[in-house]
Amino acid sequence: MATVSRTATSGGLWSRLQGWLGGTGEDKVVIPVRGGASAWLPQSTTQSRVHRFDQTLLWVIIGLLVFGTVMVYSATVALSDGPRFESRSSFYFLIKHAISIGVGAVALGFMLLIPVKLWEKAAPWIFMLSIVGLILVLFIGRDINGAKRWVSLGVMNFQPSELAKFAVVLYASNYMVRKMEVKERFFRAVTPMVVAIALMGGLILAEPDMGAFLVIAIISMGILFLGGVNGRMFFLMAAVLVLAFVLMIALSDWRRERIFAYLDPWSAQNVFGKSYQLTHALMALGRGMLFGVGLGSSMEKLNWLPEPHTDFLVAVIGEELGFIGVVAMIIAFFWLTRRMIYIGRQAIALDRVFAGLVAQGVALWMGFQAFINIGVNLGALPTKGLTLPLISYGGSAILMNLIAIGMVLRIDMENRAMMRGESK
């Protein structure tokens, strides 16, 4: 198998990216995807490494979950006054959200007990399980607003595309470890993975859920790049992917109409139609100004802004907590993404390639999905049905987010155990 390395030269694009995302000066080192470990590890010891896992990371996650719970309650407390949820208590969404977090917390704890090696072996089977789920949802899924994305499990509606995101992280990482010769035999090595991701993408688009497909495409492309695909091949694949998205929009009447509505949201034709959510989100953010109107004081959540607790929760946050609240949340997501990338780099430096790619894949998932959701709420990106990780209401999304983060914490635990001289 080939050795793939990235050398942190003073002027290279890669070194700048690693330095930006990877932390302090002692971390800016040569990161081999395949190779020895000890030569690339920072030699200094900090107090944080005495702990079994990254406690700061855990507290940031808990902070985001608590913040999300408060904002979900604020966004939904008045929904029972409207015709759609008039039979529900004002605490209905808060209770369900808290239950989802509780179940997710148990799952996170369970993930801390499972060695990463077992997940590496199970990766292809989890990918197949996600494919089965995506097929089933097309036949037995609940039809909500013309989309079949959810399977009723009694206590909750599960979204198979959320499992698919986790499955792609595991499968792509496992595949890149097994096919490290991508530099020498690129097309032969990558074709089976591309076919598998295309199958998954086709099933997700059939729901339809273009937002989930976009996240999965970003995860798989990112892991390909981090796993050793050279720049020319990576940009060639990125260009093909962009062309595919352009064709999907061009060949679909309703997707074209949504793009046109996004480009001109305030026109008389769109303001009460396809851009209704966007315009009300922008009004909410404009009303919030710098410091917001105060927690619980949003006007747009009073049955004006559709889906204020899921896709457009950021608009409510901006209205109630203002520009300062939104920026603080963005900083928390940036730190979370940066920290998980560093844990992945550390694992790769310890010659744990699968674990390192998984941690960085989860970082790409959380970071880009947060970027897309916030961009949609700010009017910087076209409307997509994506929730804000760890914060928005959504049982299956919260569950899979916490499972993925639990795996990153397990990777960090194993990294620290190896640095202490213990067995993995």
Side-chain angles (χ1 to χ4, degrees):
M1 296 185 191
T3 300
V4 183
S5 61
R6 307 219 190 276
T7 305
T9 55
S10 59
L13 173 63
W14 179 252
S15 72
R16 294 179 188 175
L17 180 62
Q18 292 284 13
W20 182 51
L21 293 173
T24 61
E26 67 177 8
D27 304 331
K28 297 175 185 176
V29 292
V30 181
I31 302 296
V33 174
R34 225 56 177 158
S38 59
W40 315 117
L41 293 176
Q43 299 301 312
S44 63
T45 302
T46 62
Q47 183 64 30
S48 64
R49 288 185 184 147
V50 174
H51 303 297
R52 292 186 63 214
F53 57 86
D54 192 329
Q55 294 192 350
T56 306
L57 176 61
L58 182 61
W59 280 113
V60 169
I61 292 163
I62 292 172
L64 287 171
L65 290 170
V66 171
F67 175 69
T69 302
V70 171
M71 295 312 305
V72 165
Y73 176 62
S74 178
T76 59
V77 66
L79 289 183
S80 58
D81 296 334
R84 184 179 173 188
F85 300 108
E86 60 183 352
S87 61
R88 307 279 171 80
S89 162
S90 58
F91 295 99
Y92 173 79
F93 291 99
L94 173 64
I95 293 171
K96 290 198 69 175
H97 189 71
I99 291 172
S100 298
I101 291 176
V103 173
V106 172
L108 185 151
F110 181 70
M111 294 295 293
L112 295 178
L113 303 176
I114 303 176
V116 175
K117 282 185 176 180
L118 294 182
W119 290 108
E120 186 171 4
K121 294 176 182 177
W125 300 105
I126 295 173
F127 185 84
M128 290 303 300
L129 178 63
S130 69
I131 293 292
V132 171
L134 292 171
I135 293 172
L136 284 176
V137 77
L138 298 178
F139 293 96
I140 64 172
R142 293 185 59 193
D143 192 321
I144 301 178
N145 297 327
K148 285 189 174 183
R149 301 178 186 175
W150 299 269
V151 175
S152 178
L153 301 179
V155 294
M156 67 180 291
N157 293 323
F158 186 76
Q159 198 168 355
S161 60
E162 294 296 333
L163 173 61
K165 295 171 188 175
F166 180 64
V168 163
V169 171
L170 296 181
Y171 176 76
S173 301
N174 173 268
Y175 192 89
M176 291 305 294
V177 171
R178 290 186 288 111
K179 300 288 184 179
M180 291 300 294
E181 71 273 16
V182 290
K183 286 188 77 175
E184 290 80 12
R185 301 175 181 176
F186 176 79
F187 290 107
R188 182 185 299 180
V190 171
T191 298
M193 177 179 162
V194 171
V195 171
I197 300 300
L199 171 62
M200 176 177 281
L203 292 171
I204 290 174
L205 289 173
E207 296 180 4
D209 191 351
M210 193 171 179
F213 176 55
L214 177 60
V215 173
I216 284 171
I218 288 171
I219 292 170
S220 56
M221 289 287 293
I223 291 176
L224 275 174
F225 178 70
L226 294 168
V229 172
N230 67 57
R232 286 183 301 172
M233 291 301 181
F234 174 80
F235 285 114
L236 174 62
M237 293 183 66
V240 171
L241 187 63
V242 169
L243 179 61
F245 275 104
V246 170
L247 288 175
M248 281 188 282
I249 293 170
L251 298 176
S252 171
D253 292 339
W254 66 273
R255 287 194 178 110
R256 284 202 312 273
E257 291 172 1
R258 290 183 69 174
I259 293 295
F260 291 145
Y262 160 73
L263 295 174
D264 187 16
W266 300 102
S267 69
Q269 177 184 359
N270 295 325
V271 73
F272 293 110
K274 294 187 180 299
S275 63
Y276 181 83
Q277 283 180 301
L278 174 58
T279 53
H280 278 273
L282 294 176
M283 284 189 279
L285 291 165
R287 187 168 180 264
M289 299 182 71
L290 186 60
F291 296 106
V293 297
L295 185 63
S297 301
S298 168
M299 294 293 292
E300 286 296 330
K301 71 183 182 185
L302 303 178
N303 294 289
W304 291 101
L305 175 65
E307 309 299 335
H309 54 310
T310 56
D311 303 352
F312 283 86
L313 185 58
V314 171
V316 177
I317 294 171
E319 184 177 4
E320 296 190 348
L321 304 181
F323 175 79
I324 299 298
V326 173
V327 169
M329 181 185 65
I330 291 172
I331 291 172
F333 272 110
F334 176 80
W335 186 92
L336 180 72
T337 303
R338 177 181 180 273
R339 186 59 194 170
M340 289 192 290
I341 286 175
Y342 174 69
I343 290 171
R345 291 179 62 207
Q346 202 171 46
I348 291 172
L350 289 163
D351 204 25
R352 303 175 62 233
V353 182
F354 172 79
L357 291 178
V358 166
Q360 295 183 348
V362 173
L364 289 172
W365 170 8
M366 301 296 167
F368 273 98
Q369 184 160 329
F371 171 79
I372 293 169
N373 178 273
I374 295 170
V376 165
N377 277 259
L378 298 178
L381 296 172
T383 303
K384 284 279 161 280
L386 286 172
T387 58
L388 187 62
L390 301 172
I391 293 181
S392 292
Y393 175 85
S396 53
I398 289 287
L399 174 61
M400 296 312 304
N401 289 166
L402 290 178
I403 285 174
I405 288 172
M407 190 162 186
V408 174
L409 289 172
R410 173 69 195 194
I411 291 168
D412 185 50
M413 287 174 60
E414 294 184 4
N415 287 348
R416 291 165 187 258
M418 287 190 69
M419 287 189 288
R420 290 194 299 267
E422 303 171 8
S423 59
K424 329 187 212 185

